[in-house]
Amino acid sequence: RAGGAAMEPECRVLSIQSHVVRGYVGNKAATFPLQVLGFEVDTVNSVQFSNHTGYAHWKGQVLNSDELHELYEGLKLNKVNRYDYVLTGYTRDTSFLAMVVDIVQELKQQNSNLVYVCDPVMGDKWNGEGSMYVPKDLLPVYRDKVVPVADIITPNQFEAELLTGRKIYTEKDALEVMDMLHAMGPETVVITSSDLQAPLGNDYLIALGSHRKTKADGTRITQRIRVESPKVDAVFVGTGDLFAAMLLAWTHKHPNNLKVACEKTVSAMQHVLQRTIKSAKVQAGEGNKPNSAQLELRMVQSKKDIENPEIIVKATVL
């Protein structure tokens, strides 16, 4: 090939997520960063909506599991169903999720090195109270079918608690919950946000990561990290989708260094959010609260930060 050894081998991601005409969530939040970072991205749009559902109005269509299967069959018939990564996020339907698992399992037969990055989106905490914003019957599917075939998972604290059936009050609890999640299958677990007290103070949010590797001789090594990032005072949509996509990219580029992968991911996140809030405030005008449209992530404007993030958030090895 032109360029010889200098060219990185092609790395292809199948991303099964929502699509919006306007704005950045799901595939719209994941595709651009992955492409900028050098990945080929094949997108299956699990829904096509006019905009995300945080707006006053939204319209659109939902893909069902048969339609997902049909799209996959088309790829298979052309023998182009070989992937290095699968990425999934928000899903509302159990049969759709079960179909995703079938597809992942078949793709892993095609390529035993395939890495499945799963954001098990189920709910979150508001003022300390957790609640699910997907149907309850998704929990057993995630717990018993999805997580066991996943390699990297990015739950928030509430989702990690749901999956393990264990509450997190301290960092020690969180580390034990991450070990329980490793035992379910994934070798990389990142708890993307938590209500744990940050050593740096109340203006910081704690994320925790754990990478467990089994060496050839059977010994297990676990690397655990804590990341404290400045809280940004606004409600953004699509941040989890952006996080999972960038974590996929940076763990690929730093396969045995979760610390660096998380620093780059969280730093890039900060750059995007700071740019977004600044711009939203200008648009809203002095003293006005920015609306959903004004708070859409400034994705294109952040291209350079996504490609080569200046490290502004450091991780601590635990």
Side-chain angles (χ1 to χ4, degrees):
R1 269 200 299 187
M7 273 185 76
E8 271 191 56
E10 179 184 281
C11 197
R12 195 170 280 271
V13 181
L14 178 64
S15 181
I16 307 173
Q17 301 196 59
S18 331
H19 170 82
V20 287
V21 176
R22 171 69 182 251
Y24 292 97
V25 297
N27 272 336
K28 281 283 292 284
T31 306
F32 180 73
L34 284 168
Q35 288 173 330
V36 158
L37 290 165
F39 293 78
E40 284 288 351
V41 187
D42 293 4
T43 52
V44 173
N45 296 328
S46 54
V47 309
Q48 169 166 259
F49 284 173
S50 52
N51 47 265
H52 73 67
T53 57
Y55 286 74
H57 310 278
W58 70 91
K59 297 269 185 198
Q61 299 82 38
V62 177
L63 196 75
N64 66 36
S65 55
D66 290 341
E67 291 162 334
L68 168 62
H69 184 249
E70 192 182 347
L71 289 173
Y72 176 69
E73 281 300 306
L75 296 171
K76 198 163 127 183
L77 288 168
N78 289 312
K79 299 186 171 56
V80 288
N81 59 333
R82 193 189 183 285
Y83 288 95
D84 302 287
Y85 286 89
V86 174
L87 175 62
T88 65
Y90 181 77
T91 308
R92 287 196 65 82
D93 181 69
T94 50
S95 65
F96 192 90
L97 200 51
M99 181 61 70
V100 167
V101 173
D102 290 347
I103 290 172
V104 169
Q105 284 173 320
E106 193 168 309
L107 291 173
K108 284 193 171 193
Q109 286 169 349
Q110 292 287 319
N111 172 17
S112 59
N113 294 321
L114 179 131
V115 173
Y116 173 26
V117 180
C118 170
D119 186 2
V121 183
M122 289 181 284
D124 208 344
K125 290 190 179 179
W126 286 273
N127 311 321
E129 268 307 296
S131 69
M132 286 181 74
Y133 43 58
V134 300
K136 301 261 187 293
D137 56 1
L138 263 80
L139 173 57
V141 183
Y142 271 116
R143 188 186 56 222
D144 306 334
K145 293 199 170 119
V146 181
V147 172
V149 298
D151 302 282
I152 300 177
I153 57 169
T154 59
N156 58 32
Q157 179 181 331
F158 178 60
E159 290 155 349
E161 291 174 342
L162 284 176
L163 288 168
T164 56
R166 169 136 187 224
K167 284 268 193 281
I168 294 172
Y169 300 105
T170 64
E171 194 171 277
K172 183 174 173 288
D173 293 338
L175 298 181
E176 287 169 14
V177 162
M178 290 197 291
D179 283 340
M180 291 169 77
L181 290 166
H182 284 309
M184 291 163 72
E187 73 168 28
T188 303
V189 177
V190 177
I191 297 180
T192 55
S193 65
S194 69
D195 45 27
L196 295 172
Q197 182 63 48
L200 288 173
N202 289 337
D203 297 334
Y204 288 80
L205 199 65
I206 282 198
L208 295 163
S210 178
H211 178 67
R212 176 182 284 182
K213 202 86 179 131
T214 306
K215 295 204 295 207
D217 63 3
T219 53
R220 283 204 305 222
I221 35 176
T222 309
Q223 183 192 24
R224 296 198 180 105
I225 55 146
R226 178 201 313 125
V227 190
E228 300 174 76
S229 53
K231 285 181 184 169
V232 185
D233 184 31
V235 177
F236 300 101
V237 182
T239 48
D241 309 321
L242 174 60
F243 186 97
M246 292 194 300
L247 186 69
L248 182 163
W250 291 117
T251 52
H252 176 77
K253 292 176 196 286
H254 303 283
N256 291 307
N257 197 334
L258 186 62
K259 179 181 188 288
V260 171
C262 284
E263 285 175 345
K264 289 189 175 181
T265 300
V266 174
S267 294
M269 251 0 266
Q270 277 296 316
H271 292 301
V272 175
L273 295 183
Q274 297 295 349
R275 177 174 286 106
T276 301
I277 190 76
K278 224 166 102 178
S279 165
K281 282 178 172 165
V282 170
Q283 284 185 39
E286 198 63 45
N288 299 324
K289 211 168 134 68
N291 63 26
S292 290
Q294 291 160 341
L295 283 169
E296 289 285 6
L297 297 177
R298 295 298 181 277
M299 194 73 77
V300 173
Q301 297 82 347
S302 303
K303 175 174 171 284
K304 288 193 174 69
D305 294 317
I306 292 166
E307 247 177 313
N308 189 13
E310 180 200 339
I311 304 294
I312 52 173
V313 179
K314 282 286 206 204
T316 311
V317 177
L318 301 175

